[in-house]
PDB file of all heavy atoms in Angstrom:
ATOM      1  N   LEU A 258      67.060  81.166 124.938  1.00 97.00           N
ATOM      2  CA  LEU A 258      68.022  81.727 125.887  1.00 97.00           C
ATOM      3  C   LEU A 258      69.035  82.606 125.157  1.00 97.00           C
ATOM      4  O   LEU A 258      69.583  82.211 124.128  1.00 97.00           O
ATOM      5  CB  LEU A 258      68.759  80.616 126.638  1.00 97.00           C
ATOM      6  CG  LEU A 258      67.941  79.751 127.601  1.00 97.00           C
ATOM      7  CD1 LEU A 258      68.836  78.714 128.252  1.00 97.00           C
ATOM      8  CD2 LEU A 258      67.260  80.602 128.660  1.00 97.00           C
ATOM      9  N   THR A 259      69.282  83.792 125.679  1.00 96.00           N
ATOM     10  CA  THR A 259      70.264  84.704 125.094  1.00 96.00           C
ATOM     11  C   THR A 259      71.187  85.226 126.182  1.00 96.00           C
ATOM     12  O   THR A 259      70.853  85.174 127.369  1.00 96.00           O
ATOM     13  CB  THR A 259      69.570  85.892 124.408  1.00 96.00           C
ATOM     14  OG1 THR A 259      68.771  86.598 125.373  1.00 96.00           O
ATOM     15  CG2 THR A 259      68.691  85.434 123.260  1.00 96.00           C
ATOM     16  N   GLY A 260      72.327  85.751 125.746  1.00 96.00           N
ATOM     17  CA  GLY A 260      73.273  86.315 126.704  1.00 96.00           C
ATOM     18  C   GLY A 260      74.510  85.469 126.911  1.00 96.00           C
ATOM     19  O   GLY A 260      75.371  85.809 127.725  1.00 96.00           O
ATOM     20  N   GLY A 261      74.631  84.376 126.150  1.00 97.00           N
ATOM     21  CA  GLY A 261      75.807  83.522 126.249  1.00 97.00           C
ATOM     22  C   GLY A 261      77.005  84.140 125.553  1.00 97.00           C
ATOM     23  O   GLY A 261      76.920  85.199 124.924  1.00 97.00           O
ATOM     24  N   THR A 262      78.139  83.456 125.634  1.00 96.00           N
ATOM     25  CA  THR A 262      79.375  83.938 125.028  1.00 96.00           C
ATOM     26  C   THR A 262      79.351  83.718 123.515  1.00 96.00           C
ATOM     27  O   THR A 262      79.069  82.621 123.048  1.00 96.00           O
ATOM     28  CB  THR A 262      80.583  83.190 125.620  1.00 96.00           C
ATOM     29  OG1 THR A 262      80.599  83.377 127.028  1.00 96.00           O
ATOM     30  CG2 THR A 262      81.894  83.701 125.028  1.00 96.00           C
ATOM     31  N   GLN A 263      79.620  84.781 122.780  1.00 93.00           N
ATOM     32  CA  GLN A 263      79.681  84.684 121.325  1.00 93.00           C
ATOM     33  C   GLN A 263      81.051  84.161 120.911  1.00 93.00           C
ATOM     34  O   GLN A 263      82.072  84.606 121.434  1.00 93.00           O
ATOM     35  CB  GLN A 263      79.437  86.052 120.683  1.00 93.00           C
ATOM     36  CG  GLN A 263      78.058  86.623 120.979  1.00 93.00           C
ATOM     37  CD  GLN A 263      76.934  85.872 120.296  1.00 93.00           C
ATOM     38  OE1 GLN A 263      77.176  85.116 119.351  1.00 93.00           O
ATOM     39  NE2 GLN A 263      75.719  86.063 120.759  1.00 93.00           N
ATOM     40  N   GLU A 264      81.072  83.235 119.986  1.00 80.00           N
ATOM     41  CA  GLU A 264      82.337  82.670 119.520  1.00 80.00           C
ATOM     42  C   GLU A 264      82.971  83.585 118.472  1.00 80.00           C
ATOM     43  O   GLU A 264      82.289  84.299 117.753  1.00 80.00           O
ATOM     44  CB  GLU A 264      82.102  81.277 118.941  1.00 80.00           C
ATOM     45  CG  GLU A 264      81.571  80.295 119.985  1.00 80.00           C
ATOM     46  CD  GLU A 264      81.313  78.926 119.397  1.00 80.00           C
ATOM     47  OE1 GLU A 264      82.279  78.311 118.918  1.00 80.00           O
ATOM     48  OE2 GLU A 264      80.156  78.483 119.423  1.00 80.00           O
ATOM     49  N   GLY A 265      84.314  83.552 118.392  1.00 65.00           N
ATOM     50  CA  GLY A 265      85.027  84.344 117.412  1.00 65.00           C
ATOM     51  C   GLY A 265      85.601  85.631 117.957  1.00 65.00           C
ATOM     52  O   GLY A 265      86.303  86.347 117.255  1.00 65.00           O
ATOM     53  N   TYR A 266      85.303  85.931 119.220  1.00 54.00           N
ATOM     54  CA  TYR A 266      85.867  87.134 119.822  1.00 54.00           C
ATOM     55  C   TYR A 266      87.306  86.871 120.253  1.00 54.00           C
ATOM     56  O   TYR A 266      87.646  85.780 120.675  1.00 54.00           O
ATOM     57  CB  TYR A 266      85.037  87.561 121.037  1.00 54.00           C
ATOM     58  CG  TYR A 266      83.789  88.324 120.659  1.00 54.00           C
ATOM     59  CD1 TYR A 266      82.710  87.670 120.065  1.00 54.00           C
ATOM     60  CD2 TYR A 266      83.697  89.692 120.878  1.00 54.00           C
ATOM     61  CE1 TYR A 266      81.561  88.360 119.707  1.00 54.00           C
ATOM     62  CE2 TYR A 266      82.553  90.391 120.532  1.00 54.00           C
ATOM     63  CZ  TYR A 266      81.486  89.727 119.942  1.00 54.00           C
ATOM     64  OH  TYR A 266      80.364  90.412 119.595  1.00 54.00           O
ATOM     65  N   ILE A 267      88.141  87.910 120.143  1.00 43.00           N
ATOM     66  CA  ILE A 267      89.544  87.795 120.534  1.00 43.00           C
ATOM     67  C   ILE A 267      89.743  88.477 121.872  1.00 43.00           C
ATOM     68  O   ILE A 267      89.369  89.633 122.052  1.00 43.00           O
ATOM     69  CB  ILE A 267      90.470  88.434 119.482  1.00 43.00           C
ATOM     70  CG1 ILE A 267      90.290  87.749 118.127  1.00 43.00           C
ATOM     71  CG2 ILE A 267      91.930  88.375 119.941  1.00 43.00           C
ATOM     72  CD1 ILE A 267      91.076  88.403 117.007  1.00 43.00           C
ATOM     73  N   ASN A 268      90.291  87.756 122.813  1.00 39.00           N
ATOM     74  CA  ASN A 268      90.599  88.343 124.110  1.00 39.00           C
ATOM     75  C   ASN A 268      91.972  89.003 124.049  1.00 39.00           C
ATOM     76  O   ASN A 268      92.972  88.346 123.771  1.00 39.00           O
ATOM     77  CB  ASN A 268      90.599  87.272 125.204  1.00 39.00           C
ATOM     78  CG  ASN A 268      89.201  86.746 125.448  1.00 39.00           C
ATOM     79  OD1 ASN A 268      88.229  87.476 125.354  1.00 39.00           O
ATOM     80  ND2 ASN A 268      89.105  85.459 125.781  1.00 39.00           N
ATOM     81  N   LEU A 269      92.016  90.309 124.256  1.00 42.00           N
ATOM     82  CA  LEU A 269      93.273  91.034 124.238  1.00 42.00           C
ATOM     83  C   LEU A 269      93.902  90.978 125.619  1.00 42.00           C
ATOM     84  O   LEU A 269      93.270  91.326 126.612  1.00 42.00           O
ATOM     85  CB  LEU A 269      93.035  92.498 123.833  1.00 42.00           C
ATOM     86  CG  LEU A 269      92.475  92.713 122.420  1.00 42.00           C
ATOM     87  CD1 LEU A 269      92.230  94.196 122.178  1.00 42.00           C
ATOM     88  CD2 LEU A 269      93.435  92.150 121.380  1.00 42.00           C
ATOM     89  N   VAL A 270      95.143  90.555 125.656  1.00 39.00           N
ATOM     90  CA  VAL A 270      95.866  90.454 126.915  1.00 39.00           C
ATOM     91  C   VAL A 270      96.830  91.614 127.019  1.00 39.00           C
ATOM     92  O   VAL A 270      97.659  91.828 126.142  1.00 39.00           O
ATOM     93  CB  VAL A 270      96.637  89.117 127.005  1.00 39.00           C
ATOM     94  CG1 VAL A 270      97.396  89.035 128.326  1.00 39.00           C
ATOM     95  CG2 VAL A 270      95.686  87.942 126.841  1.00 39.00           C
ATOM     96  N   THR A 271      96.698  92.406 128.059  1.00 45.00           N
ATOM     97  CA  THR A 271      97.590  93.552 128.261  1.00 45.00           C
ATOM     98  C   THR A 271      98.982  93.064 128.622  1.00 45.00           C
ATOM     99  O   THR A 271      99.139  92.276 129.550  1.00 45.00           O
ATOM    100  CB  THR A 271      97.060  94.439 129.400  1.00 45.00           C
ATOM    101  OG1 THR A 271      95.727  94.834 129.083  1.00 45.00           O
ATOM    102  CG2 THR A 271      97.936  95.667 129.582  1.00 45.00           C
ATOM    103  N   PRO A 272     100.027  93.494 127.851  1.00 46.00           N
ATOM    104  CA  PRO A 272     101.388  93.015 128.158  1.00 46.00           C
ATOM    105  C   PRO A 272     101.847  93.511 129.511  1.00 46.00           C
ATOM    106  O   PRO A 272     101.510  94.617 129.929  1.00 46.00           O
ATOM    107  CB  PRO A 272     102.237  93.611 127.032  1.00 46.00           C
ATOM    108  CG  PRO A 272     101.460  94.802 126.566  1.00 46.00           C
ATOM    109  CD  PRO A 272     100.011  94.440 126.724  1.00 46.00           C
ATOM    110  N   ARG A 273     102.611  92.688 130.176  1.00 47.00           N
ATOM    111  CA  ARG A 273     103.148  93.044 131.475  1.00 47.00           C
ATOM    112  C   ARG A 273     104.594  93.489 131.325  1.00 47.00           C
ATOM    113  O   ARG A 273     105.414  92.770 130.768  1.00 47.00           O
ATOM    114  CB  ARG A 273     103.065  91.854 132.436  1.00 47.00           C
ATOM    115  CG  ARG A 273     101.638  91.455 132.786  1.00 47.00           C
ATOM    116  CD  ARG A 273     101.644  90.379 133.850  1.00 47.00           C
ATOM    117  NE  ARG A 273     100.285  90.034 134.252  1.00 47.00           N
ATOM    118  CZ  ARG A 273     100.003  89.145 135.196  1.00 47.00           C
ATOM    119  NH1 ARG A 273     100.989  88.516 135.830  1.00 47.00           N
ATOM    120  NH2 ARG A 273      98.751  88.876 135.501  1.00 47.00           N
ATOM    121  N   PHE A 274     104.892  94.684 131.794  1.00 43.00           N
ATOM    122  CA  PHE A 274     106.248  95.193 131.727  1.00 43.00           C
ATOM    123  C   PHE A 274     106.963  94.894 133.028  1.00 43.00           C
ATOM    124  O   PHE A 274     106.336  94.802 134.082  1.00 43.00           O
ATOM    125  CB  PHE A 274     106.231  96.705 131.481  1.00 43.00           C
ATOM    126  CG  PHE A 274     105.623  97.078 130.160  1.00 43.00           C
ATOM    127  CD1 PHE A 274     104.299  97.504 130.096  1.00 43.00           C
ATOM    128  CD2 PHE A 274     106.357  96.970 128.993  1.00 43.00           C
ATOM    129  CE1 PHE A 274     103.737  97.834 128.878  1.00 43.00           C
ATOM    130  CE2 PHE A 274     105.791  97.306 127.773  1.00 43.00           C
ATOM    131  CZ  PHE A 274     104.482  97.731 127.712  1.00 43.00           C
ATOM    132  N   PRO A 275     108.319  94.766 132.971  1.00 46.00           N
ATOM    133  CA  PRO A 275     109.059  94.497 134.205  1.00 46.00           C
ATOM    134  C   PRO A 275     108.813  95.596 135.219  1.00 46.00           C
ATOM    135  O   PRO A 275     108.743  96.770 134.880  1.00 46.00           O
ATOM    136  CB  PRO A 275     110.531  94.487 133.748  1.00 46.00           C
ATOM    137  CG  PRO A 275     110.463  94.220 132.283  1.00 46.00           C
ATOM    138  CD  PRO A 275     109.186  94.844 131.792  1.00 46.00           C
ATOM    139  N   ALA A 276     108.658  95.178 136.457  1.00 45.00           N
ATOM    140  CA  ALA A 276     108.428  96.151 137.520  1.00 45.00           C
ATOM    141  C   ALA A 276     109.686  96.969 137.737  1.00 45.00           C
ATOM    142  O   ALA A 276     110.802  96.468 137.601  1.00 45.00           O
ATOM    143  CB  ALA A 276     108.049  95.422 138.805  1.00 45.00           C
ATOM    144  N   PRO A 277     109.520  98.261 138.047  1.00 47.00           N
ATOM    145  CA  PRO A 277     110.697  99.097 138.306  1.00 47.00           C
ATOM    146  C   PRO A 277     111.447  98.602 139.515  1.00 47.00           C
ATOM    147  O   PRO A 277     110.894  97.950 140.393  1.00 47.00           O
ATOM    148  CB  PRO A 277     110.091 100.488 138.557  1.00 47.00           C
ATOM    149  CG  PRO A 277     108.678 100.217 138.974  1.00 47.00           C
ATOM    150  CD  PRO A 277     108.267  98.995 138.201  1.00 47.00           C
ATOM    151  N   SER A 278     112.743  98.890 139.522  1.00 45.00           N
ATOM    152  CA  SER A 278     113.580  98.444 140.627  1.00 45.00           C
ATOM    153  C   SER A 278     113.069  98.999 141.937  1.00 45.00           C
ATOM    154  O   SER A 278     112.569 100.116 142.009  1.00 45.00           O
ATOM    155  CB  SER A 278     115.028  98.909 140.402  1.00 45.00           C
ATOM    156  OG  SER A 278     115.807  98.646 141.546  1.00 45.00           O
ATOM    157  N   SER A 279     113.157  98.180 142.963  1.00 43.00           N
ATOM    158  CA  SER A 279     112.712  98.612 144.280  1.00 43.00           C
ATOM    159  C   SER A 279     113.787  99.409 145.012  1.00 43.00           C
ATOM    160  O   SER A 279     113.597  99.834 146.144  1.00 43.00           O
ATOM    161  CB  SER A 279     112.325  97.386 145.128  1.00 43.00           C
ATOM    162  OG  SER A 279     113.437  96.515 145.254  1.00 43.00           O
ATOM    163  N   ALA A 280     114.966  99.629 144.377  1.00 44.00           N
ATOM    164  CA  ALA A 280     116.039 100.387 145.017  1.00 44.00           C
ATOM    165  C   ALA A 280     115.614 101.830 145.212  1.00 44.00           C
ATOM    166  O   ALA A 280     114.934 102.408 144.362  1.00 44.00           O
ATOM    167  CB  ALA A 280     117.302 100.339 144.171  1.00 44.00           C
ATOM    168  N   PRO A 281     115.988 102.443 146.298  1.00 47.00           N
ATOM    169  CA  PRO A 281     115.642 103.855 146.536  1.00 47.00           C
ATOM    170  C   PRO A 281     116.165 104.728 145.411  1.00 47.00           C
ATOM    171  O   PRO A 281     117.225 104.490 144.847  1.00 47.00           O
ATOM    172  CB  PRO A 281     116.337 104.165 147.862  1.00 47.00           C
ATOM    173  CG  PRO A 281     116.534 102.819 148.515  1.00 47.00           C
ATOM    174  CD  PRO A 281     116.761 101.864 147.396  1.00 47.00           C
ATOM    175  N   LEU A 282     115.393 105.798 145.087  1.00 47.00           N
ATOM    176  CA  LEU A 282     115.786 106.684 143.993  1.00 47.00           C
ATOM    177  C   LEU A 282     117.116 107.358 144.278  1.00 47.00           C
ATOM    178  O   LEU A 282     117.923 107.590 143.367  1.00 47.00           O
ATOM    179  CB  LEU A 282     114.697 107.748 143.781  1.00 47.00           C
ATOM    180  CG  LEU A 282     113.360 107.218 143.238  1.00 47.00           C
ATOM    181  CD1 LEU A 282     112.356 108.367 143.147  1.00 47.00           C
ATOM    182  CD2 LEU A 282     113.563 106.577 141.879  1.00 47.00           C
ATOM    183  N   GLY A 283     117.377 107.674 145.522  1.00 50.00           N
ATOM    184  CA  GLY A 283     118.648 108.327 145.865  1.00 50.00           C
ATOM    185  C   GLY A 283     119.824 107.446 145.551  1.00 50.00           C
ATOM    186  O   GLY A 283     120.841 107.886 145.015  1.00 50.00           O
ATOM    187  N   THR A 284     119.703 106.151 145.880  1.00 45.00           N
ATOM    188  CA  THR A 284     120.787 105.200 145.612  1.00 45.00           C
ATOM    189  C   THR A 284     121.037 105.072 144.122  1.00 45.00           C
ATOM    190  O   THR A 284     122.176 105.033 143.652  1.00 45.00           O
ATOM    191  CB  THR A 284     120.438 103.823 146.201  1.00 45.00           C
ATOM    192  OG1 THR A 284     120.192 103.974 147.597  1.00 45.00           O
ATOM    193  CG2 THR A 284     121.553 102.828 145.973  1.00 45.00           C
ATOM    194  N   MET A 285     119.925 105.003 143.313  1.00 44.00           N
ATOM    195  CA  MET A 285     120.067 104.886 141.865  1.00 44.00           C
ATOM    196  C   MET A 285     120.722 106.132 141.279  1.00 44.00           C
ATOM    197  O   MET A 285     121.572 106.056 140.395  1.00 44.00           O
ATOM    198  CB  MET A 285     118.684 104.669 141.232  1.00 44.00           C
ATOM    199  CG  MET A 285     118.028 103.345 141.623  1.00 44.00           C
ATOM    200  SD  MET A 285     116.377 103.197 140.936  1.00 44.00           S
ATOM    201  CE  MET A 285     116.757 103.148 139.208  1.00 44.00           C
ATOM    202  N   ALA A 286     120.324 107.311 141.787  1.00 45.00           N
ATOM    203  CA  ALA A 286     120.911 108.553 141.275  1.00 45.00           C
ATOM    204  C   ALA A 286     122.399 108.620 141.568  1.00 45.00           C
ATOM    205  O   ALA A 286     123.200 109.049 140.732  1.00 45.00           O
ATOM    206  CB  ALA A 286     120.183 109.752 141.898  1.00 45.00           C
ATOM    207  N   MET A 287     122.796 108.209 142.754  1.00 45.00           N
ATOM    208  CA  MET A 287     124.217 108.217 143.128  1.00 45.00           C
ATOM    209  C   MET A 287     125.017 107.278 142.250  1.00 45.00           C
ATOM    210  O   MET A 287     126.135 107.582 141.842  1.00 45.00           O
ATOM    211  CB  MET A 287     124.349 107.825 144.594  1.00 45.00           C
ATOM    212  CG  MET A 287     125.787 107.835 145.110  1.00 45.00           C
ATOM    213  SD  MET A 287     126.532 109.492 145.046  1.00 45.00           S
ATOM    214  CE  MET A 287     125.583 110.283 146.353  1.00 45.00           C
ATOM    215  N   THR A 288     124.407 106.113 141.914  1.00 42.00           N
ATOM    216  CA  THR A 288     125.101 105.135 141.068  1.00 42.00           C
ATOM    217  C   THR A 288     125.376 105.727 139.689  1.00 42.00           C
ATOM    218  O   THR A 288     126.467 105.602 139.139  1.00 42.00           O
ATOM    219  CB  THR A 288     124.251 103.858 140.940  1.00 42.00           C
ATOM    220  OG1 THR A 288     124.047 103.313 142.250  1.00 42.00           O
ATOM    221  CG2 THR A 288     124.942 102.823 140.073  1.00 42.00           C
ATOM    222  N   PHE A 289     124.348 106.381 139.080  1.00 42.00           N
ATOM    223  CA  PHE A 289     124.534 106.981 137.764  1.00 42.00           C
ATOM    224  C   PHE A 289     125.527 108.140 137.814  1.00 42.00           C
ATOM    225  O   PHE A 289     126.272 108.382 136.879  1.00 42.00           O
ATOM    226  CB  PHE A 289     123.189 107.464 137.208  1.00 42.00           C
ATOM    227  CG  PHE A 289     122.312 106.349 136.728  1.00 42.00           C
ATOM    228  CD1 PHE A 289     121.068 106.143 137.285  1.00 42.00           C
ATOM    229  CD2 PHE A 289     122.747 105.500 135.721  1.00 42.00           C
ATOM    230  CE1 PHE A 289     120.280 105.110 136.847  1.00 42.00           C
ATOM    231  CE2 PHE A 289     121.956 104.470 135.272  1.00 42.00           C
ATOM    232  CZ  PHE A 289     120.712 104.260 135.840  1.00 42.00           C
ATOM    233  N   HIS A 290     125.546 108.873 138.926  1.00 47.00           N
ATOM    234  CA  HIS A 290     126.472 110.006 139.066  1.00 47.00           C
ATOM    235  C   HIS A 290     127.924 109.549 139.102  1.00 47.00           C
ATOM    236  O   HIS A 290     128.807 110.190 138.545  1.00 47.00           O
ATOM    237  CB  HIS A 290     126.124 110.788 140.345  1.00 47.00           C
ATOM    238  CG  HIS A 290     127.065 111.932 140.610  1.00 47.00           C
ATOM    239  ND1 HIS A 290     127.077 113.082 139.850  1.00 47.00           N
ATOM    240  CD2 HIS A 290     128.046 112.082 141.552  1.00 47.00           C
ATOM    241  CE1 HIS A 290     128.005 113.904 140.302  1.00 47.00           C
ATOM    242  NE2 HIS A 290     128.616 113.328 141.338  1.00 47.00           N
ATOM    243  N   LEU A 291     128.191 108.432 139.746  1.00 46.00           N
ATOM    244  CA  LEU A 291     129.555 107.922 139.890  1.00 46.00           C
ATOM    245  C   LEU A 291     130.013 107.076 138.717  1.00 46.00           C
ATOM    246  O   LEU A 291     131.195 106.738 138.617  1.00 46.00           O
ATOM    247  CB  LEU A 291     129.665 107.097 141.176  1.00 46.00           C
ATOM    248  CG  LEU A 291     129.449 107.853 142.500  1.00 46.00           C
ATOM    249  CD1 LEU A 291     129.496 106.884 143.667  1.00 46.00           C
ATOM    250  CD2 LEU A 291     130.531 108.928 142.670  1.00 46.00           C
ATOM    251  N   LEU A 292     129.102 106.705 137.846  1.00 46.00           N
ATOM    252  CA  LEU A 292     129.434 105.774 136.769  1.00 46.00           C
ATOM    253  C   LEU A 292     130.560 106.294 135.858  1.00 46.00           C
ATOM    254  O   LEU A 292     131.513 105.554 135.569  1.00 46.00           O
ATOM    255  CB  LEU A 292     128.175 105.463 135.938  1.00 46.00           C
ATOM    256  CG  LEU A 292     128.326 104.380 134.877  1.00 46.00           C
ATOM    257  CD1 LEU A 292     128.778 103.066 135.506  1.00 46.00           C
ATOM    258  CD2 LEU A 292     127.025 104.180 134.117  1.00 46.00           C
ATOM    259  N   PRO A 293     130.540 107.541 135.395  1.00 48.00           N
ATOM    260  CA  PRO A 293     131.654 108.003 134.529  1.00 48.00           C
ATOM    261  C   PRO A 293     133.008 107.906 135.220  1.00 48.00           C
ATOM    262  O   PRO A 293     134.006 107.509 134.593  1.00 48.00           O
ATOM    263  CB  PRO A 293     131.283 109.466 134.244  1.00 48.00           C
ATOM    264  CG  PRO A 293     129.801 109.524 134.416  1.00 48.00           C
ATOM    265  CD  PRO A 293     129.503 108.582 135.545  1.00 48.00           C
TER     266      PRO A 293
END
């Protein structure tokens, strides 16, 4: 029988980045504009 899982292989896990804020882009732009 062939086709089984070979031992010694490394499973690479793709890192998960934080999801972007769900706030509307207009609201975020206004916040940065008023910050100074």
Side-chain angles (χ1 to χ4, degrees):
L258 293 180
T259 59
T262 302
Q263 298 290 343
E264 297 179 62
Y266 279 72
I267 300 175
N268 291 325
L269 297 177
V270 180
T271 303
R273 294 186 177 182
F274 297 99
S278 172
S279 59
L282 292 177
T284 303
M285 295 176 65
M287 182 63 70
T288 300
F289 285 120
H290 177 71
L291 296 176
L292 187 58

